[in-house]
């Protein structure tokens, strides 16, 4: 009870904004290389044995990695319910495609090698490609739409109304800037997947991964820089006209929001956040260099820095906004007016403090046990129970 009173509502909102970022970044760092590996599968592996090697680099870990996606979605639902309601409604068809890809992927893992038929296996290989490339692309498109603002408004009773119709919920998201963000996201995770393949394989597979990962790093650098320029000169940011109390009730309509210059004005107000895009650029450049120079562990390490920096740069740039509205800025959702109650956030924090370390310890143990390369001999040996 004393601790509950010591941790203010304002601090809990900020803590859960940070934890949400941790969960989403954790998902990108772990399941991100799974998606990147799937997207690279048709290009780095030419024979059936090579494809089995690549598949088995992620086969033992993809299920645990995908838990971060579930944790992130659950955190949005429990900590910021209005964000969950508006985003999952407005992005419904795009999320349906992502979930379809995530459903197809485990089926492909389980059934791909059940038959010797090359046609059967080729179809499941393309299913794995779909399960990796499509979510990687659409997650970036979603981020681009958040930066642009989403066409929704809230009624006086806080019912969300998404404008654009059913098809607009999918094709309306494919705006040029959002597509650029999607390409950057896909290339970033391809680079990340290449780093994983280099770490876990050898020979011609690793060399192909180096080549495609190096190309992806150049696409990321160019696309990330272009997105920054686009954001600086052609996209309006949002700012409070009347800011809600940080410890007040959650009512997005209680604040007044308007377009205000560029999102990048945040870097003038909080210069320290420049560390995030610097990490994004530096990590990408060094990952590409490590891939070209023959590094094994370093490409994945640098790509992790790149992923961390790029995702962090988005959250820090739009802070404290969660989901701006471009049709009615006053309906925009922020961390100060779209959270659950003080008690809910506190109980969730206690549970997180208890269980998050256990998850991290178990994850580290799993990767420690599975450390080492996957070889053609491994997948050819019936005693290894490989995919």
């Amino acid at each position: 009870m004393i601790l509950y009173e010591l941790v203010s509502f304002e601090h809990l909102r900020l803590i859960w904004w940070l934890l949400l970022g941790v969960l989403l970044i954790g998902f990108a760092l772990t399941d991100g290389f799974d998606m990147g590996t799937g997207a690279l599968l048709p290009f780095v592996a030419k024979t059936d044995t090579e494809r089995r090697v690549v598949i088995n680099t992620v086969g033992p870990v993809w299920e645990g990695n995908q838990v971060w996606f579930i944790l992130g979605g659950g955190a949005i639902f429990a900590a910021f319910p209005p964000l969950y309601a508006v985003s999952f409604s407005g992005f419904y068809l795009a999320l349906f495609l992502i979930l379809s890809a995530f459903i197809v992927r485990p089926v492909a893992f389980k059934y791909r090698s059940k038959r010797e038929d090359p046609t059967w296996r080729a179809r499941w290989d393309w299913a794995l490609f779909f399960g990796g490339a499509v979510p990687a692309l659409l997650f970036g498109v979603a981020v681009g739409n958040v930066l642009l603002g989403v066409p929704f408004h809230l009624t006086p009773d806080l019912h969300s109304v998404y404008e654009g119709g059913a098809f607009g919920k999918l094709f309306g998201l494919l705006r040029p800037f959002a597509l650029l963000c999607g390409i950057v996201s896909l290339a970033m995770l391809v680079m990340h997947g290449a780093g994983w393949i280099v770490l876990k394989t050898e020979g011609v597979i690793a060399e192909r991964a180096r080549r495609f990962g190096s190309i992806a790093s150049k696409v990321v650098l160019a696309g990330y820089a272009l997105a920054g320029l686009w954001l600086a000169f052609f996209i309006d940011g949002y700012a409070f006209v009347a800011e809600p109390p940080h410890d007040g009730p959650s009512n997005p309509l209680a604040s007044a929001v308007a377009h205000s210059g560029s999102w990048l004005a945040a870097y003038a107000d909080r210069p320290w956040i420049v560390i995030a895009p610097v990490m994004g650029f530096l990590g990408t450049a060094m990952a590409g260099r490590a891939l070209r120079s023959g590094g094994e562990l370093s490409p994945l390490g640098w790509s992790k820095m790149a992923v961390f920096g790029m995702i962090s740069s988005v959250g820090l740039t739009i802070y404290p906004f969660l989901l701006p509205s471009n049709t009615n800025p006053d309906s925009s959702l922020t961390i100060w007016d779209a959270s659950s109650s003080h008690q809910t956030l506190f109980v969730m924090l206690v549970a997180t403090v208890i269980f998050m370390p256990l998850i991290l310890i178990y994850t580290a143990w799993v990767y420690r046990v599975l450390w080492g390369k996957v070889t053609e001999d491994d997948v050819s040996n019936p005693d290894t129970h490989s995919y």
Side-chain angles (χ1 to χ4, degrees), residues 130-348:
F130 173 81
V134 170
L137 176 70
L138 291 181
F139 281 130
V141 169
V143 170
N145 277 278
V146 170
L147 291 166
L148 289 167
V150 179
F152 75 94
H153 69 271
L154 300 176
T155 63
D157 60 355
L158 299 183
H159 175 69
S160 63
V161 178
Y162 190 93
E163 301 169 16
F167 287 102
K169 291 184 178 182
L170 178 60
F171 297 108
L173 301 176
L174 304 180
R175 294 178 278 182
F177 177 77
L179 285 172
L180 172 62
C181 292
I183 292 170
V184 172
S185 173
L186 175 59
M188 177 182 73
L189 295 187
V190 165
M191 176 185 71
H192 197 38
W196 175 256
I197 294 172
V198 165
L199 178 65
K200 297 291 290 182
T201 67
E202 56 190 11
V204 66
I205 300 174
E207 289 306 312
R208 292 179 189 136
R210 290 184 188 280
R211 184 167 67 253
F212 284 105
S214 177
I215 294 171
S217 70
K218 295 175 183 178
V219 174
V220 175
L221 284 173
Y224 191 49
L226 178 59
L229 294 173
W230 199 328
L231 202 61
F233 296 107
F234 301 106
I235 296 175
D236 291 332
Y238 293 78
F240 285 116
V241 175
E243 190 168 354
H246 294 184
D247 58 355
S250 290
N251 179 4
L253 296 179
S255 61
V257 176
H259 290 292
S260 178
S262 167
W263 278 122
L264 300 190
Y267 291 87
D269 298 334
R270 291 171 277 123
W272 61 270
I273 68 174
V274 74
I275 190 173
V278 168
M279 289 176 65
F281 280 114
L282 178 62
T284 302
M286 293 303 295
R289 182 176 182 274
L291 286 166
R292 291 188 294 272
S293 63
E296 287 202 345
L297 181 59
S298 55
L300 185 65
W302 286 114
S303 70
K304 285 181 180 292
M305 175 190 282
V307 171
F308 182 91
M310 290 185 187
I311 296 177
S312 298
S313 69
V314 176
L316 292 171
T317 297
I318 68 173
Y319 171 87
F321 289 90
L322 296 170
L323 191 67
S325 169
N326 60 11
T327 55
N328 184 0
D330 287 343
S331 295
S332 299
L333 306 179
T334 75
I335 67 173
W336 309 126
D337 54 23
S339 76
S340 292
S341 67
H342 186 177
Q343 184 176 11
T344 299
L345 296 182
F346 178 78
V347 172
M348 290 170 57

Side-chain angles (χ1 to χ4, degrees), residues 22-23 26-27 30 63-72 351-367:
V22 168
L23 292 173
F27 168 64
T30 55
E63 288 176 291
N65 293 341
Q66 195 161 295
V67 169
W68 289 93
F69 177 67
I70 299 170
L71 290 175
T352 301
V353 169
I354 294 172
F355 291 107
M356 182 63 76
L358 297 177
I359 294 172
L360 293 175
I361 290 170
Y362 175 75
T363 301
W365 177 79
V366 168
Y367 280 96

